[in-house]
Amino acid sequence: MPEGDLVRKLANQWDEWAGEALLLTSPQHRFATEAAKLNNTVFQGAHTHGKHLFLEFQNELYVHIHLGLYGRFVFQSVSTKPRDTVRLRATLGSQAIDLSGPTQCETLDAEGKAKIHARLGPDPLRQGDSIESLLPWLKESKWPVGKTLLEQSKIAGLGNIYRAEILFMFGLNPHTANSAVRESEWKSIWRLSQDLLEASVARGGSIKTTGKDSPLPLTVSKRPSQTRAYVYKRTGAPCYGCGTPILQEEQASRTLYWCPSCQA
DNA sequence: ATCCGATGTCAAT
DNA sequence: TTGACCTCGGATC
């Protein structure tokens, strides 16, 4: 389900429980032993890096969660019986948070957490992160831009929707080599990523690149109403910039949507 | 009732 | 590059 913005928003929700001792169970049982170890210890707060979520408990122990494609959190009343697919239920008072379908849910110490950070690139949502350290590599790299934007070890937090939308907003052909994109343009891409992700977090984690808080792409003169995206999942529909049907193809093993004319 | 795709990643080839 | 992981909602029959 998520790209980095939604994960950050979920972390913010978790943070409302910071400082409290939580009841942890695993209705599905796959996380039962781990949950028991942390049960009733004080939740210190949530951290994120890209799409990775870290729930910190006492003694620098972290529950590392990656939602992957199917994972999700459901916030509800404790009186609602959890589905039997729920990997982890956290309870505080009358409230419960259910986690199901994560690609990852494991307990890590500080060292384990550091290893995760080490394999992730800068995150547009993280305080102090910048694209600066990536520029030398980008300058030499033959990778297509459309692959780079999905690569979490380069930029952490963007996903398939933002990839398509950002490429469109810059009029970039997805197959353009990294080295063919000017440094100033990379910096603009980074800044736009920050703006889009932050605006989404503020909205509660729902992606909408066509919104009034996003800049208009050069080729688009009017904001499309109704739609939340310029090209994502709009295969065959007319481009908002030029009317050309939006194309769909596979790039970096994900479906990419783009306008062959505006992104020539 | 069944099928299918999805805002993701990694290990194995 | 491909398959496995894993869940659920919406489309289809």
Side-chain angles (χ1 to χ4, degrees):
Chain A
M1 287 275 294
E3 301 194 18
D5 51 345
L6 179 58
V7 176
R8 184 60 249 171
K9 177 257 185 177
L10 292 166
N12 292 343
Q13 287 182 277
W14 272 95
D15 270 340
E16 291 171 23
W17 284 5
E20 307 281 356
L22 307 183
L23 180 65
L24 302 178
T25 58
S26 180
Q28 181 198 48
H29 224 71
R30 277 186 58 178
F31 198 63
T33 311
E34 307 282 302
K37 282 182 198 156
L38 297 170
N39 184 39
N40 221 24
T41 67
V42 176
F43 170 58
Q44 309 287 335
H47 313 267
T48 63
H49 189 163
K51 302 164 189 170
H52 295 255
L53 173 67
F54 304 91
L55 305 176
E56 181 176 358
F57 290 86
Q58 281 173 244
N59 305 318
E60 281 197 275
L61 288 175
Y62 302 87
V63 177
H64 168 224
I65 294 165
H66 195 297
L67 294 175
L69 208 45
Y70 327 114
R72 54 188 239 160
F73 281 110
V74 178
F75 296 76
Q76 59 191 351
S77 155
V78 279
S79 57
T80 307
K81 193 173 174 294
R83 288 174 181 252
D84 50 18
T85 51
V86 170
R87 183 81 55 91
L88 173 66
R89 165 171 274 203
T91 303
L92 178 65
S94 62
Q95 301 288 105
I97 304 178
D98 287 348
L99 166 68
S100 63
T103 253
Q104 280 215 26
C105 178
E106 60 180 351
T107 306
L108 294 177
D109 57 16
E111 190 186 344
K113 176 169 178 278
K115 279 185 186 161
I116 306 286
H117 290 299
R119 63 174 155 91
L120 294 172
D123 173 351
L125 279 178
R126 293 190 108 205
Q127 196 74 15
D129 277 14
S130 90
I131 199 175
E132 213 59 37
S133 59
L134 203 58
L135 293 174
W137 177 80
L138 290 168
K139 198 173 173 182
E140 304 297 325
S141 165
K142 297 275 190 293
W143 277 25
V145 202
K147 176 179 176 173
T148 307
L149 293 184
L150 278 187
E151 182 62 39
Q152 302 299 299
S153 62
K154 305 303 178 191
I155 299 176
L158 299 181
N160 202 29
I161 300 181
Y162 285 121
R163 158 173 79 163
E165 295 296 294
I166 290 170
L167 290 173
F168 177 78
M169 292 171 93
F170 281 90
L172 277 172
N173 183 307
H175 305 289
T176 310
N178 288 337
S179 57
V181 177
R182 290 190 313 277
E183 189 169 297
S184 62
E185 193 157 22
W186 278 115
K187 291 180 178 174
S188 300
I189 289 172
W190 176 261
R191 210 168 311 119
L192 176 67
S193 301
Q194 289 180 313
D195 291 346
L196 291 176
L197 290 167
E198 281 167 10
S200 174
V201 173
R203 272 195 309 270
S206 68
I207 299 178
K208 184 172 166 68
T209 54
T210 55
K212 61 180 183 339
D213 33 8
S214 311
L216 278 178
L218 289 179
T219 54
V220 176
S221 54
K222 227 177 78 184
R223 293 190 185 285
S225 53
Q226 311 301 330
T227 328
R228 62 181 181 145
Y230 290 110
V231 290
Y232 179 74
K233 277 217 167 151
R234 294 195 61 245
T235 312
C239 170
Y240 292 122
C242 68
T244 304
I246 299 301
L247 291 185
Q248 162 183 345
E249 76 176 68
E250 190 116 334
Q251 190 190 37
S253 67
R254 308 297 301 281
T255 308
L256 171 70
Y257 306 84
W258 62 297
C259 171
S261 168
C262 292
Q263 301 171 252

